């Protein structure tokens, strides 16, 4: 997986608009069509201390996730990347799509606060490596620098 190219593609997508809506919509499509072995890629946005479903690719998903609940809610509450090799062993995991077996969630910041998370699911166990985590953190950093909320 070439994360340098993924970053360049994100930057070129942002040339038309840096508004969060089209940028997150295209970012989810970019990840979903570029990374192999995924069944869901998208964003949850912080609203009233919970996570609200944002732009995504994949099957319909849970609309609202409380802070601290599941993989996404934990990433939000702890402000930490969650890289989960087997979601069935994760306490409180929310199964939106029963096909999901591994997951990675990366917090997104604005003015030092978590304002959203990037959530990616796979039907494969242990789909996401340390290298994927580093590459996706870099992708999110670029997003944080260019996005207009
Ligand atoms: N599995 C996630 C919920 C979101 S879906 O995967 C799209 C979780 O436990 O937070």
């Amino acid at each position: 997986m070439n994360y340098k190219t993924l970053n360049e593609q994100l930057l070129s997508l942002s040339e038309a608009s840096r508004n969060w809506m089209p940028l997150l919509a295209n970012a989810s499509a970019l990840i979903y069509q570029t990374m192999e072995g995924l069944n869901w890629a998208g964003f949850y946005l912080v609203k009233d201390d919970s996570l609200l479903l944002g732009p995504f690719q994949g099957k319909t998903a849970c609309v609202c996730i409380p802070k601290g609940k599941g993989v996404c809610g934990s990433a939000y509450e702890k402000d930490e990347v969650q890289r989960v090799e087997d979601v069935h062993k994760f306490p409180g995991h929310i199964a939106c799509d029963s096909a999901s077996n591994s997951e990675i969630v990366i917090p997104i910041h604005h003015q030092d606060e978590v304002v959203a998370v990037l959530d990616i699911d796979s039907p494969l166990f242990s789909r996401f490596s340390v290298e994927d985590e580093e590459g996706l953190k870099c992708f999110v950093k670029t997003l944080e620098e260019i996005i207009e909320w």
Side-chain angles (χ1 to χ4, degrees):
M1 177 67 201
N2 189 333
Y3 284 100
K4 190 169 174 283
T5 306
L6 194 73
N7 249 285
E8 286 165 3
Q9 286 170 319
L10 177 65
L11 285 170
S12 88
L13 283 171
S14 75
E15 282 168 17
S17 170
R18 293 177 171 216
N19 177 276
W20 67 272
M21 176 75 100
L23 196 54
L24 294 187
N26 266 333
S28 66
L30 180 62
I31 290 170
Y32 197 71
Q33 70 199 20
T34 310
M35 291 182 76
E36 283 173 16
L38 305 186
N39 62 324
W40 204 89
F43 297 89
Y44 278 89
L45 310 174
V46 171
K47 187 163 170 46
D48 302 331
D49 263 355
S50 287
L51 292 171
L52 191 64
L53 184 62
F56 71 93
Q57 303 278 302
K59 286 191 182 171
T60 55
C62 329
V63 172
C64 190
I65 299 177
K67 190 176 192 174
K69 261 289 248 160
V71 187
C72 291
S74 298
Y76 168 34
E77 184 177 49
K78 295 181 183 162
D79 190 2
E80 274 171 14
V81 172
Q82 302 292 308
R83 189 165 57 86
V84 182
E85 304 206 330
D86 179 353
V87 293
H88 308 289
K89 292 184 180 154
F90 192 95
H93 166 248
I94 303 161
C96 292
D97 181 348
S98 59
S100 299
N101 283 319
S102 65
E103 179 165 0
I104 188 164
V105 182
I106 295 135
I108 302 172
H109 307 87
H110 177 62
Q111 295 171 349
D112 288 331
E113 303 265 312
V114 178
V115 291
V117 299
L118 166 61
D119 178 21
I120 310 176
D121 288 19
S122 172
L124 308 170
F125 289 99
S126 306
R127 162 64 182 81
F128 306 101
S129 62
V130 174
E131 191 204 358
D132 290 317
E133 179 174 335
E134 290 311 311
L136 291 166
K137 270 159 60 176
C138 206
F139 183 85
V140 162
K141 193 163 178 291
T142 302
L143 202 52
E144 288 173 341
E145 285 165 5
I146 59 179
I147 199 164
E148 289 171 0
W149 293 103

